Amino acid sequence: MVEPTVQLVAAVAVGALAVAVAGWVESLPFSEATVLATGPWTVAAGGVVVAAEVGVYDGVPFVTVPTLLVSLLVVALGIWFAFTGIAELRKRPHSERYLAASGTGTAAVVLGGLLYTAPAVSAVRLAWIALAVVAAPVVAVGPYFVLSLVYTDAVARLRFAGLYAVAAVVFDGVASAIATETLGTGREALVTSGLSLTAEAAGVSPSGWQLLAAHAFVGVVAVAAFGRIGRWRPAVGYAGAAVLSVTALGSGTAVLLSAVLFG
């Protein structure tokens, strides 16, 4: 497994590149709905990472975690661009629904395969997944509401995309807390790894649950920055929110599924 520090640096580098591309290619059809539509594909990516780690693809030539993730990205981008073009030609709105629908189908297949592959899993362990899914947006709503009072322009620009990004960062923390504090796997998602390294450098050692406040703060500050950028370059603001949510939700999904199903 790649070291968390290397993963974090790689995620930041890829994210910066994606935001830079969005700023350079002004015609990218990024919108609030696009950010939300990446969710199912992100969950599928997290599931694929876990499947590769537990040996589901052993024996298949040239199949590694990077090649699987790149393949998913290519398919998702192909569907996004293809159906966006078709929707524009036919003058149909909401082309992002095709991206979301295809991602939901892919995620269902991947997660179903993991459940079939995993040893007997109790309902109590599966309940931790439900807890993370419910707790993350509940925790994120409060800080996002405060942001709407302090910096209304950011929320007005990103709206639900901003809330989704903050919730994804909090999900990263909830998943890591469940994996480390409750299920004892010792594995942390990317944002949590970065916060843990920062806390260690500061000479403190908070628990995974105590770090949730820091997750919410990081998510709100990042969304505020993307909202400000989005006032002048909307595509860059949405791209930043998308990269943040994909990084946090994807790594959190991988950590949580690995801990619950195979921990």
Side-chain angles (χ1 to χ4, degrees):
M1 185 182 298
V2 181
E3 288 295 324
T5 305
V6 177
Q7 293 180 5
L8 187 62
V9 172
V12 171
V14 173
L17 177 61
V19 173
V21 169
W24 179 53
V25 183
E26 297 184 7
S27 60
L28 279 179
F30 259 113
S31 67
E32 175 188 6
T34 307
V35 178
L36 301 176
T38 62
W41 282 102
T42 305
V43 172
V48 164
V49 169
V50 175
E53 290 177 348
V54 299
V56 172
Y57 307 115
D58 285 356
V60 181
F62 309 112
V63 173
T64 62
V65 171
T67 58
L68 287 168
L69 293 180
V70 170
S71 298
L72 272 180
L73 177 62
V74 170
V75 172
L77 288 175
I79 291 172
W80 178 35
F81 286 123
F83 281 103
T84 297
I86 294 172
E88 289 179 354
L89 290 174
R90 300 184 62 187
K91 301 186 184 305
R92 296 288 181 87
H94 311 304
S95 60
E96 295 85 359
R97 59 188 173 185
Y98 301 109
L99 178 64
S102 58
T104 301
T106 303
V109 171
V110 172
L111 297 182
L114 284 176
L115 284 172
Y116 178 79
T117 305
V121 181
S122 66
V124 174
R125 292 181 74 88
L126 291 176
W128 287 113
I129 297 178
L131 173 65
V133 172
V134 173
V138 170
V139 173
V141 165
Y144 196 65
F145 176 71
V146 173
L147 176 64
S148 71
L149 300 177
V150 176
Y151 189 20
T152 307
D153 286 350
V155 174
R157 171 59 62 184
L158 297 179
R159 301 195 298 177
F160 285 108
L163 176 59
Y164 170 69
V166 176
V169 175
V170 174
F171 179 84
D172 176 297
V174 174
S176 299
I178 291 173
T180 57
E181 304 291 336
T182 305
L183 301 180
T185 63
R187 183 176 177 182
E188 295 178 335
L190 285 178
V191 178
T192 304
S193 295
L195 290 174
S196 296
L197 290 172
T198 302
E200 183 179 341
V204 295
S205 55
S207 68
W209 296 110
Q210 291 172 334
L211 275 177
L212 287 183
H215 283 82
F217 178 76
V218 168
V220 165
V221 170
V223 166
F226 294 140
R228 183 172 182 81
I229 295 171
R231 293 176 60 188
W232 293 279
R233 300 294 294 272
V236 178
Y238 288 127
V243 168
L244 176 64
S245 60
V246 166
T247 301
L249 179 60
S251 60
T253 298
V255 166
L256 185 61
L257 290 176
S258 178
V260 170
L261 300 181
F262 302 97

